[in-house]
């Protein structure tokens, strides 16, 4: 009776690390972290001033009070009442939407257009290559037929 040795935890871990998608994921995390700085700079330096021209750049001061009187210290600690800081939630939501828009319009959309253009060029090149292959095949068939015809007429005379 032969017993199969179960793979060790170490073997499984090595196999996991050697898979290509783990490396791709690690690269994506590093690039994503670096790209976050770019997006934050665009949002902070361009988008927020534009939004600030319409309203305010800091929505954190907007709140409602569930239980009066609401008093919040300068450091953010609640002294009395139950304040709902809906301005902070709105600000975070706007930052997310603006960041997603910046990523989509400055990175995803141009990249997808570029990839579609590359794919179209590749298909056009493959289509030309297929036409060339077909025409070469046709020429080779004609040469074969001519050789067969020559051989047939040469032996018959």
């Amino acid at each position: 009776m032969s017993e199969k040795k179960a793979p060790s935890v170490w073997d499984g871990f090595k196999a996991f690390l050697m898979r290509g998608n783990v490396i791709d994921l690690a690269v994506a995390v590093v690039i994503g972290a670096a790209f976050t700085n770019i997006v934050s700079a665009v949002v902070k330096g361009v988008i927020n001033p534009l939004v600030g021209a319409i309203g305010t750049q800091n929505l954190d001061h907007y709140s409602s009070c569930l239980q009066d009187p609401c008093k919040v210290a300068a450091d953010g600690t609640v002294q009395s009442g139950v304040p709902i800081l809906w301005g902070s939630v709105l600000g975070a939501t706007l930052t997310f939407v603006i960041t997603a828009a910046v990523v989509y319009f400055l990175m995803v959309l141009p990249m997808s257009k570029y990839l579609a253009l590359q794919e179209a060029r590749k298909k056009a090149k493959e289509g030309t290559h297929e036409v060339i292959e077909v025409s070469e095949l046709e020429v080779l068939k004609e040469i074969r037929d001519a050789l067969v015809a020559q051989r047939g007429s040469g032996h018959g005379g």
Side-chain angles (χ1 to χ4, degrees):
M1 218 191 239
S2 75
E3 247 180 75
K4 261 191 169 176
K5 183 181 174 190
S8 70
V9 173
W10 180 247
D11 291 337
F13 182 66
K14 284 194 308 188
F16 169 73
L17 286 180
M18 300 314 280
R19 273 196 267 170
N21 55 359
V22 171
I23 303 299
D24 292 342
L25 183 60
V27 169
V29 167
V30 170
I31 294 295
F35 186 69
T36 299
N37 293 334
I38 295 170
V39 172
S40 296
V42 170
V43 168
K44 198 179 292 183
V46 177
I47 304 297
N48 281 351
L50 292 174
V51 171
I54 299 167
T56 179
Q57 289 187 25
N58 189 0
L59 298 173
D60 292 342
H61 301 296
Y62 293 104
S63 63
S64 297
C65 192
L66 282 183
Q67 186 178 3
D68 285 329
C70 281
K71 289 185 182 175
V72 180
D75 64 353
T77 58
V78 176
Q79 293 176 338
S80 67
V82 181
I84 301 294
L85 305 174
W86 59 268
S88 298
V89 175
L90 181 61
T93 303
L94 282 175
T95 301
F96 171 76
V97 169
I98 291 168
T99 303
V102 167
V103 168
Y104 180 75
F105 289 112
L106 294 183
M107 292 299 295
V108 174
L109 192 60
M111 184 58 81
S112 63
K113 285 184 179 182
Y114 173 75
L115 291 175
L117 182 64
Q118 290 294 94
E119 188 65 27
R121 286 182 182 164
K122 182 180 173 187
K123 285 186 178 183
K125 194 180 281 187
E126 286 175 358
T128 306
H129 188 65
E130 287 176 12
V131 169
I132 291 171
E133 285 180 5
V134 168
S135 62
E136 287 177 0
L137 185 61
E138 292 298 320
V139 170
L140 289 173
K141 285 181 182 178
E142 288 176 13
I143 292 170
R144 179 199 63 199
D145 294 343
L147 288 172
V148 168
Q150 277 181 351
R151 198 177 328 154
S153 66
H155 291 296

